[in-house]
Amino acid sequence: METFARGKAGSLQGQVAAVTGAGRGIGAAIASMLAELGATAVLCGRTRSALDSTAKSITTAGGKAEVLLCDVTSLESVEAAAKRTESSFGRLDILVNNAGIGGFGGPLHQLPPEAWDQILNTNLRGVYYAIRAFAPTMIRARSGHIVNISSIAGKNALPNGAAYAGSKWGLNGLSYSVAEELRSHNIRVSVICPGSTNTDLSPHAGKDPAKMLQPEDVAHTVAMLVTQSPQSFVSEIILRPTQKP
């Protein structure tokens, strides 16, 4: 039986991985993990200083990174990033749709329409834009893996965060459906639904950060997905902390 590749340096050697929201938190951890495994990490995000910090961490550790300013709420911006990636590397093996924002300010009937638009445009429309822009490169190569970072809020009720939960429930449905569309092209699509994670996305009031998931836990899960045997794929992973925070 083939041994599991995660953790072997160079197991992604020669591959190119684009990660949205790569400037901090989960996105930075994912990009660093994929670079550690040998991939060139294409760091996509809106804030150059944060992306440069992630890139410096990767290159200092001996990895490869490329910084691309990209706003996932703008189709023009995402398409430009996809074209730049293909022109620079001629391939894209892994796309991690991680960019997202929270929204936990109160009941839905009090949520301003502009806040609704911001949450849904980033968390759901942005994934559509990224798949629309990047998937054709994978289709031409008949190979690739798309990983969408959702949330356990996409499985459970989230009072006072209905727009955020709605965006993640929608992302889950999008992921399952796109997986069926792209299977015939030998492209695997997976969605990860982490529980409480120690980032600045949300306040996590009253929870113990030491007991929460860490960004590296999500990164480890992405690494498992993209290094699994080629004849199968995991459609969905629900990731929980061992101890309730």
Side-chain angles (χ1 to χ4, degrees):
M1 181 177 292
E2 181 179 348
T3 57
F4 181 51
R6 187 269 174 271
K8 291 184 179 179
S11 60
L12 299 179
Q13 194 67 40
Q15 295 193 31
V16 176
V19 182
T20 67
R24 59 180 181 171
I26 292 172
I30 292 170
S32 297
M33 177 73 73
L34 297 179
E36 180 184 333
L37 292 177
T40 296
V42 179
L43 312 176
C44 301
R46 294 182 298 178
T47 306
R48 176 170 288 279
S49 59
L51 296 174
D52 286 343
S53 177
T54 302
K56 183 178 180 181
S57 176
I58 289 172
T59 55
T60 299
K64 300 176 183 177
E66 175 94 0
V67 169
L68 288 183
L69 287 178
C70 176
D71 179 357
V72 297
T73 67
S74 164
L75 179 58
E76 181 180 7
S77 178
V78 177
E79 287 179 336
K83 289 178 181 177
R84 172 74 178 277
T85 300
E86 184 157 28
S87 64
S88 296
F89 304 104
R91 63 188 294 167
L92 180 68
D93 303 277
I94 300 164
L95 170 64
V96 182
N97 289 305
N98 164 77
I101 59 173
F104 313 99
L108 185 67
H109 69 274
Q110 295 178 358
L111 184 74
E114 56 271 22
W116 167 274
D117 289 342
Q118 185 181 28
I119 294 167
L120 270 293
N121 286 347
T122 303
N123 295 358
L124 188 55
R125 186 188 293 266
V127 176
Y128 154 59
Y129 283 166
I131 292 173
R132 175 184 170 88
F134 284 100
T137 300
M138 295 181 172
I139 291 172
R140 286 190 289 271
R142 290 197 53 77
S143 178
H145 203 141
I146 298 171
V147 182
N148 297 327
I149 307 301
S150 183
S151 168
I152 204 156
K155 310 293 289 184
N156 302 327
L158 183 64
N160 298 317
Y164 177 79
S167 72
K168 295 302 186 179
W169 281 75
L171 178 56
N172 291 354
L174 179 150
S175 301
Y176 311 143
S177 300
V178 173
E180 293 304 310
E181 295 172 358
L182 295 180
R183 285 173 77 177
S184 63
H185 300 286
N186 198 37
I187 298 168
R188 305 185 289 186
V189 180
S190 306
V191 61
I192 301 173
C193 301
S196 297
T197 307
N198 186 23
T199 70
D200 57 4
L201 180 65
S202 63
H204 298 295
K207 294 188 176 183
D208 181 355
K211 293 181 180 180
M212 295 166 65
L213 294 171
Q214 303 302 314
E216 291 74 19
D217 296 321
V218 183
H220 173 89
T221 306
V222 173
M224 290 193 298
L225 291 173
V226 300
T227 57
Q228 69 189 96
S229 300
Q231 73 273 11
S232 64
F233 77 101
V234 176
S235 177
E236 174 189 87
I237 291 179
I238 299 175
L239 187 65
R240 304 176 188 270
T242 303
Q243 300 180 52
K244 286 190 175 183

